[in-house]
Amino acid sequence: MSWNQFGLKNADKANSSEPYTSKELSPKPVEMYVFIDPLCPECWSLEPFLKKLSVEYGRFFTVRIIVSNFLNAMDANDPNKHIKLREHWERVARRTGMSCDGDFWLENSIANPWNVSIAIKAAEIQGKKAGKAFLRKTQEKLFLHKLDISDEEVLMQISEEAKIDTEEFAEDLYSETAKKAFQCDVKLTREMDIKSTPTLVFFNQSNDEQGVKITGLYPYEVYELILQEILQMSPIPSEKPPLETFIKDNGIVGSKEISVVYDWTPSKTEKEMKKLLFKQKVSRIHAKYGTFWKYKH
């Protein structure tokens, strides 16, 4: 298996402008830059693999979310734009098992795509954890519920469900700080020569070697192999948490995510989730493709 098989390239972290280089001291040796587009179904479909990486090897890396708006760059004057987007979403959902309802583009629309990216950065002002929680809820509202996630009312609802400070978020949403943070992401995307999403770039913070960049969706083993290559060792994966704990920690998860994280077949996942359903620990969320589960507090 050669790296070139998977379109891997080197990315030089030293080329990044000073403001974008993390100065936080961390005991974790690897920093993973995740370039995403909030409207990108492949980025949504990356979620199972990111969850599994965090469960098995989260003790070795930190994640930095970089928002890139490639989908917004599509020709706005193309009369078939929404039809093409619908077909693309449907193909990705059928291929990956992470439901995204392409009918959104025929029934609804994104009034202001840039609002979404700035909102994610506004949530991130409250910390990385807040930013990730907000991004996840944003994706759920778009891909599962077909809501216009650029609408201010929807964004406020997302902030509540993500359990971040809603008053602070409302203030930060239109702040220069959030706008500048998004501008930094756009600049970093250009500097690292990111052409599409999702793209992951792995850096070992303990040395000055170049990072490894991978664009697109691949089997989990590929991401695992890259992490091991960056670490220059093959660590033993951490023990997986009990299923109920995993659901509780994440709030809402898809059957696909559970199957990937626990190495279960779809039928095994359904069987285990029905046990929690019978105990009234979870409720089922029917999606156009597959099933999602919500933890009942």
Side-chain angles (χ1 to χ4, degrees):
M1 180 187 298
S2 67
W3 293 119
N4 290 335
Q5 272 183 280
F6 300 103
L8 296 171
K9 303 176 182 177
N10 287 328
D12 188 354
K13 190 176 181 180
N15 288 337
S16 301
S17 298
E18 189 67 18
Y20 320 121
T21 303
S22 174
K23 294 296 183 183
E24 297 177 7
L25 294 176
S26 171
K28 299 181 180 182
V30 175
E31 185 170 24
M32 183 168 68
Y33 286 46
V34 181
F35 292 81
I36 61 98
D37 183 329
L39 310 183
C40 167
E42 286 91 351
C43 295
W44 170 238
S45 301
L46 182 67
E47 282 286 286
F49 306 126
L50 292 179
K51 277 184 168 53
K52 188 171 185 178
L53 276 177
S54 294
V55 166
E56 295 193 334
Y57 303 108
R59 64 195 189 275
F60 294 107
F61 68 86
T62 57
V63 174
R64 182 174 173 184
I65 300 293
I66 311 296
V67 181
S68 309
N69 290 85
F70 289 105
L71 200 60
N72 294 346
M74 288 186 68
D75 186 1
N77 297 318
D78 183 353
N80 296 317
K81 175 180 177 179
H82 286 183
I83 294 175
K84 291 177 180 177
L85 285 169
R86 179 190 183 278
E87 291 173 350
H88 178 57
W89 277 29
E90 295 289 312
R91 282 197 303 271
V92 173
R94 287 192 294 267
R95 176 167 58 90
T96 66
M98 283 293 283
S99 187
C100 45
D101 193 337
D103 290 340
F104 167 82
W105 294 106
L106 304 181
E107 301 170 4
N108 209 333
S109 64
I110 298 293
N112 189 344
W114 306 107
N115 269 5
V116 186
S117 301
I118 294 172
I120 293 168
K121 294 290 112 177
E124 215 170 65
I125 292 173
Q126 298 186 35
K128 283 185 177 181
K129 187 175 180 181
K132 289 176 188 173
F134 186 88
L135 170 60
R136 171 68 187 208
K137 289 298 176 186
T138 300
Q139 291 173 313
E140 289 171 7
K141 293 299 181 187
L142 175 64
F143 295 117
L144 300 182
H145 303 293
K146 297 186 288 185
L147 296 181
D148 177 4
I149 55 173
S150 69
D151 181 83
E152 184 176 336
E153 189 174 325
V154 174
L155 289 172
M156 291 307 301
Q157 180 185 347
I158 292 170
S159 70
E160 291 177 9
E161 293 187 15
K163 295 182 173 60
I164 65 175
D165 188 317
T166 54
E167 291 185 9
E168 184 178 339
F169 172 75
E171 291 179 5
D172 291 333
L173 183 55
Y174 298 106
S175 69
E176 285 302 311
T177 303
K179 291 176 184 175
K180 286 180 180 178
F182 175 52
Q183 289 167 359
C184 287
D185 280 12
V186 172
K187 187 173 183 180
L188 187 59
T189 299
R190 289 199 301 266
E191 289 177 346
M192 286 197 179
D193 195 31
I194 306 300
K195 302 296 186 184
S196 63
T197 55
T199 292
L200 274 60
V201 184
F202 296 77
F203 292 105
N204 191 326
Q205 301 191 87
S206 62
N207 59 49
D208 295 325
E209 293 182 9
Q210 289 182 317
V212 175
K213 176 166 61 178
I214 178 169
T215 298
L217 279 175
Y218 295 92
Y220 174 75
E221 292 73 22
V222 174
Y223 303 110
E224 183 180 42
L225 189 61
I226 295 170
L227 182 60
Q228 292 173 352
E229 180 76 10
I230 289 291
L231 287 170
Q232 298 180 342
M233 63 175 180
S234 300
I236 297 173
S238 297
E239 186 176 340
K240 295 178 176 64
L243 179 59
E244 185 179 337
T245 302
F246 176 72
I247 305 292
K248 181 179 180 180
D249 289 345
N250 287 279
I252 294 176
V253 295
S255 290
K256 172 68 175 183
E257 295 175 291
I258 297 167
S259 293
V260 168
V261 169
Y262 288 91
D263 300 305
W264 290 344
T265 62
S267 59
K268 168 71 171 174
T269 296
E270 180 70 14
K271 180 180 178 181
E272 294 300 319
M273 289 310 299
K274 279 183 176 177
K275 293 178 184 177
L276 293 181
L277 188 65
F278 181 74
K279 295 178 181 178
Q280 297 187 327
K281 297 290 186 179
V282 298
S283 58
R284 186 192 293 266
I285 301 174
H286 292 283
K288 188 170 185 178
Y289 299 93
T291 301
F292 283 74
W293 307 89
K294 181 177 182 179
Y295 185 78
K296 297 175 73 171
H297 299 282

